[in-house]
């Protein structure tokens, strides 16, 4: 046996230094891993730093919210916004009182039926004065003489549909023509209302008529236009002319008896003969507004009947 080789090997094992592993768990978990995993410790350190940063940022935010100057600025900004809203609503209500639209649509089925009968047969009606309650006109559903926007709006839409039906029976219907029909009727209505407002301003009439009242009175003529076009579809041109003539006379009488209480003086409204150039101008203006209704009725319907 070679004792010298054995002794040499023993000495080499004895002189070899012992190496201590820095991460025994990682070494036991993956023997092939070359480097230590420090991601967990880094993530923990970062999360702790972020938590400290967040907690540090919370104090200035709370201090800013609790600052009296910031609260005063917020209150001042809110007051400016409310004042601006009130100013816009006030100026808009001067020209078009949107807040009063609810009054003009306060109708019911009984009122609509009676009002339609009054528009077609106004000759037997005696009392044309609008009823008031504590200096405020009552809702239309309680007074047949009160103006409303429900009937004019529905009559305008129905007129467009009836016009499309009349054009369809003559093979002349198209979406473009129907759109032109609606646009033309709306433009003529706006021009009529603007002309009436200008006339009232030039004559210097002190009246409680509003723009919505004029739109309502100008929109009532669509009821007679619908009746005339339907009569033309059923009975031809003869039926159209007869029914349109009846409705034109009816709307003329209705407009005269309604507006004379608004435009003429109180003495004229009571039936007393009043002399004077100013009252004559008011009378002529009332007659002109009433006479314009049959003209528009014929102008907007004559081309629908052949």
């Amino acid at each position: 046996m070679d004792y010298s080789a054995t002794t040499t090997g023993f000495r080499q094992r004895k002189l070899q230094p012992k190496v201590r592993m820095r991460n025994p768990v990682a070494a036991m978990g993956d023997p092939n891993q070359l480097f230590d995993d420090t991601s967990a410790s880094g993530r923990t350190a970062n999360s702790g730093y972020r938590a400290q940063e967040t907690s540090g940022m919370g104090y200035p935010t709370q201090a800013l919210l609790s600052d009296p100057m910031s609260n005063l600025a917020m209150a001042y900004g809110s007051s400016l916004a409310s004042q601006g809203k009130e100013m816009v609503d006030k100026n808009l209500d001067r020209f078009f009182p949107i807040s009063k639209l609810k009054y003009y649509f306060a109708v019911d089925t009984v009122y609509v039926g009676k009002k339609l009968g009054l528009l077609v047969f106004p000759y037997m009606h005696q009392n044309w004065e609008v009823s008031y309650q504590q200096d405020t006109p009552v809702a239309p559903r309680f007074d047949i003489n009160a103006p409303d926007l429900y009937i004019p709006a529905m009559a305008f839409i129905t007129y467009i549909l009836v016009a499309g039906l009349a054009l369809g029976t003559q093979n002349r219907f198209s979406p473009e023509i129907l759109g032109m029909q609606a646009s033309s009727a709306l433009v003529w209505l706006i021009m009529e209302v603007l002309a009436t407002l200008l006339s009232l301003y030039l004559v210097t009439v002190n009246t409680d008529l509003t723009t919505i009242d004029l739109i309502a009175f100008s929109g009532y003529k669509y009821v007679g236009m619908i009746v005339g076009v339907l009569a033309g579809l059923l009975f031809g041109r003869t039926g159209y002319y007869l029914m349109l003539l009846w409705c034109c006379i009816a709307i003329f009488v209705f407009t005269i008896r309604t507006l004379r209480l608004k435009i003429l003086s109180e003495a004229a409204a009571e039936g007393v003969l009043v002399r004077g150039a100013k009252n004559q101008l008011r009378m002529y203006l009332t007659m002109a507004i009433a006479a314009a209704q049959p003209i528009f009725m014929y102008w907007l319907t004559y081309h629908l009947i052949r």
Side-chain angles (χ1 to χ4, degrees):
M1 179 179 294
D2 191 358
Y3 292 99
S4 61
T6 305
T7 305
T8 303
F10 176 75
R11 289 177 180 177
Q12 292 178 354
R13 288 194 298 270
K14 186 176 180 180
L15 294 175
Q16 185 176 3
K18 295 182 180 181
V19 180
R20 296 179 63 182
M21 299 191 325
R22 301 174 63 181
N23 192 3
V25 178
M28 293 177 61
D30 188 1
N32 298 324
Q33 184 175 357
L34 299 178
F35 302 99
D36 295 338
D37 186 7
T38 60
S39 59
S41 61
R43 187 181 302 111
T44 305
N46 291 334
S47 62
Y49 174 74
R50 290 176 181 176
Q52 294 177 359
E53 183 180 1
T54 305
S55 62
M57 292 178 61
Y59 176 76
T61 305
Q62 295 176 358
L64 180 62
L65 292 178
S66 61
D67 190 2
M69 294 300 296
S70 61
N71 295 333
L72 181 61
M74 292 177 61
Y76 183 69
S78 300
S79 63
L80 284 180
S82 61
Q83 291 177 3
K85 184 177 181 299
E86 291 177 359
M87 185 178 298
V88 171
D89 294 340
K90 182 178 180 180
N91 293 329
L92 185 62
D93 193 69
R94 287 178 55 191
F95 300 99
F96 197 81
I98 300 178
S99 59
K100 297 181 181 179
L101 285 178
K102 185 178 180 181
Y103 164 81
Y104 292 92
F105 285 94
V107 300
D108 55 10
T109 306
V110 177
Y111 168 82
V112 172
K114 291 182 178 181
K115 193 75 171 197
L116 292 176
L118 182 62
L119 291 173
V120 181
F121 300 97
Y123 312 105
M124 303 302 296
H125 192 64
Q126 298 297 329
N127 185 15
W128 293 86
E129 295 183 359
V130 178
S131 301
Y132 283 82
Q133 184 178 6
Q134 297 180 354
D135 297 334
T136 303
V138 299
R141 64 174 175 266
F142 301 118
D143 185 13
I144 192 175
N145 297 322
D148 71 284
L149 284 179
Y150 178 80
I151 292 179
M154 294 297 104
F156 181 84
I157 297 174
T158 307
Y159 160 72
I160 300 301
L161 298 177
V162 172
L165 177 62
L167 294 174
T169 57
Q170 303 168 14
N171 296 325
R172 294 189 297 151
F173 176 81
S174 66
E176 293 79 10
I177 295 179
L178 191 62
M180 292 178 59
Q181 188 77 20
S183 302
S184 176
L186 184 60
V187 168
W188 281 113
L189 178 64
I190 295 175
M191 291 179 61
E192 179 186 356
V193 173
L194 292 179
T196 304
L197 289 174
L198 180 61
S199 301
L200 292 174
Y201 174 77
L202 294 177
V203 181
T204 63
V205 176
N206 295 324
T207 177
D208 58 350
L209 279 174
T210 63
T211 306
I212 302 181
D213 291 335
L214 296 177
I215 293 175
F217 291 130
S218 300
Y220 285 139
K221 62 176 172 288
Y222 291 107
V223 176
M225 294 163 58
I226 295 170
V227 175
V229 174
L230 290 178
L233 293 176
L234 296 175
F235 307 106
R237 297 183 68 87
T238 303
Y240 163 75
Y241 283 116
L242 290 177
M243 291 304 301
L244 186 66
L245 179 61
W246 177 273
C247 293
C248 286
I249 298 174
I251 198 66
F252 179 83
V253 174
F254 173 84
T255 306
I256 287 289
R257 294 184 177 180
T258 302
L259 292 183
R260 73 184 182 91
L261 300 178
K262 300 290 186 178
I263 298 178
L264 300 180
S265 60
E266 295 182 358
E270 295 174 358
V272 181
L273 182 60
V274 179
R275 300 183 183 276
K278 193 171 184 179
N279 286 323
Q280 288 182 356
L281 286 176
R282 293 178 177 180
M283 186 180 301
Y284 293 152
L285 179 59
T286 305
M287 296 286 292
I289 296 174
Q293 308 305 312
I295 297 175
F296 283 114
M297 292 173 65
Y298 176 75
W299 176 258
L300 294 173
T301 57
Y302 78 96
H303 62 281
L304 298 176
I305 305 299
R306 287 187 177 180

